[in-house]
Amino acid sequence: MEKELIFKSRSFSSCILAAYKLMSDNLKGIIRSTWLPVLLMALFGGIFMALNVHNERVIQWGITNTGLYLAASLSTMLITLVCSLWAVSRLMSKLNDEDRRWNFLRALKLWIYVLAIALVIGAVFSLLLVGAIHMLKCDPVTFVTDNWLALMAVVLITALFLLPFNYICMRYLYDRKACFWKDLPKTYMTGLRHLSLIFLTTLISGIITSIIALIIYLPLMVLITANAMSTIGVVSGDPSGMPSSFPLLLGATTFVVTVLIWYVSAFQIIIYLFMYGSIEKLREERRNTALVPAEELTPTPYNP
């Protein structure tokens, strides 16, 4: 893809519109490049869902073959993750013209880095929560109930300060010269300076993709809700109203939903790519402006 198309100063709405145009104009090419990992990801994701649904036949099989059940669940989860990274690498190969192996390794490293950051943040929040509960000498439920507004504010503020990672992650996926940890202080400050663009792009694109995802997820949500209600009835002593083929139905539905959702996620990735390109273009323009001598920036008076 031409870099001039990506590295262009845009508003948040222009980033979304440019991503939509790129996605619609190149949909066949994107599907042609990503269909295999996406289908495999959806297939093993459907198997994982079928293995972990609350169903009498599945539970009995899991109890009888515990080792095989655990191995199947873990392997399908791992294969689903690998196929997801594979699909992302195929998509990025269409966008940055790098080879697929390099893009796969980049996506894998980024997943590990993001997981490490999430674990650290989760650990810090857990320690602060335990410390606050210990200081106030109350049970966790009472603490959350009495301080839910403050907890929500902390979560929202934390999410706001994590928004620059949308730019950082996209930069790491696209730019071969990018180093995640070495560049993190500078790239994070760059993200903070362009927080308004990142926030608006993330918010509006998130609303759009969430509405689309909600519509796509609706059949799966209906099946999960029906199974949950049936499980509650079984616990209460009523017979199960779910068919014996429900795990197969759930797996097939998960397969279709996963395929559609992945391409919605691909649209979100492309939006972030244009957002990253816009930020880089703004930085370049600011550097070029700083290099221009001050006297050249001053208007020359007109002398008739």
Side-chain angles (χ1 to χ4, degrees):
M1 180 185 296
E2 298 83 358
K3 291 187 176 182
E4 292 77 9
L5 179 64
I6 297 174
F7 295 98
K8 182 178 179 181
S9 179
R10 292 182 173 93
S11 63
F12 73 93
S13 57
S14 297
C15 290
I16 298 173
L17 291 174
Y20 173 76
K21 187 176 186 305
L22 178 67
M23 188 83 174
S24 58
D25 291 346
N26 299 274
L27 186 58
K28 289 184 179 180
I30 292 173
I31 293 176
R32 194 180 299 116
S33 297
T34 59
W35 69 269
L36 180 58
V38 170
L39 290 183
L40 290 175
M41 176 186 65
L43 175 63
F44 285 100
I47 295 173
F48 179 80
M49 285 290 289
L51 288 173
N52 290 275
V53 65
H54 191 278
N55 179 269
E56 185 177 352
R57 294 180 63 184
V58 175
I59 293 174
Q60 289 298 329
W61 181 81
I63 293 173
T64 307
N65 308 275
T66 305
L68 182 60
Y69 173 79
L70 291 175
S73 295
L74 291 174
S75 60
T76 51
M77 183 173 62
L78 181 61
I79 294 173
T80 301
L81 173 62
V82 172
C83 290
S84 175
L85 297 175
W86 182 14
V88 171
S89 68
R90 286 288 189 93
L91 175 64
M92 291 307 302
S93 294
K94 294 285 292 181
L95 300 174
N96 61 8
D97 298 326
E98 299 286 352
D99 62 87
R100 293 173 177 176
R101 182 177 179 274
W102 183 87
N103 276 305
F104 179 80
L105 292 176
R106 270 291 166 118
L108 177 60
K109 290 178 182 178
L110 180 62
W111 181 83
I112 294 173
Y113 298 157
V114 171
L115 178 63
I117 292 172
L119 290 175
V120 170
I121 294 174
V124 170
F125 269 100
S126 299
L127 291 174
L128 292 175
L129 185 62
V130 171
I133 293 172
H134 180 73
M135 287 178 60
L136 296 176
K137 297 179 180 180
C138 61
D139 60 277
V141 176
T142 304
F143 178 81
V144 173
T145 304
D146 294 342
N147 302 278
W148 66 271
L149 191 59
L151 291 174
M152 184 178 294
V154 171
V155 171
L156 291 176
I157 292 172
T158 303
L160 186 65
F161 280 97
L162 288 176
L163 281 178
F165 279 95
N166 290 340
Y167 159 75
I168 294 169
C169 293
M170 199 67 247
R171 177 179 180 271
Y172 184 73
L173 284 177
Y174 185 84
D175 189 356
R176 176 180 282 270
K177 298 179 181 179
C179 298
F180 190 87
W181 297 113
K182 182 180 179 180
D183 298 341
L184 186 57
K186 293 181 179 179
T187 53
Y188 185 79
M189 293 305 299
T190 299
L192 285 181
R193 283 193 291 269
H194 296 88
L195 190 60
S196 59
L197 174 61
I198 298 174
F199 173 75
L200 290 173
T201 305
T202 303
L203 177 64
I204 303 303
S205 64
I207 292 173
I208 295 172
T209 54
S210 295
I211 293 173
I212 299 172
L214 182 62
I215 297 171
I216 296 173
Y217 268 120
L218 194 58
L220 187 60
M221 292 167 61
V222 170
L223 290 178
I224 293 174
T225 303
N227 186 67
M229 297 301 294
S230 176
T231 302
I232 294 172
V234 170
V235 173
S236 303
D238 298 331
S240 175
M242 305 305 295
S244 58
S245 60
F246 180 77
L248 180 61
L249 177 62
L250 181 66
T253 306
T254 302
F255 174 84
V256 176
V257 168
T258 302
V259 171
L260 297 176
I261 285 297
W262 191 88
Y263 285 103
V264 174
S265 302
F267 174 58
Q268 187 86 41
I269 291 173
I270 296 173
I271 291 174
Y272 289 154
L273 175 64
F274 281 110
M275 180 191 72
Y276 153 74
S278 178
I279 293 174
E280 291 297 299
K281 185 63 176 178
L282 290 171
R283 292 180 64 221
E284 180 185 351
E285 291 174 354
R286 186 178 292 110
R287 286 195 300 267
N288 292 339
T289 303
L291 293 175
V292 176
E295 57 271 14
E296 293 186 17
L297 295 175
T298 304
T300 303
Y302 174 68
N303 294 317

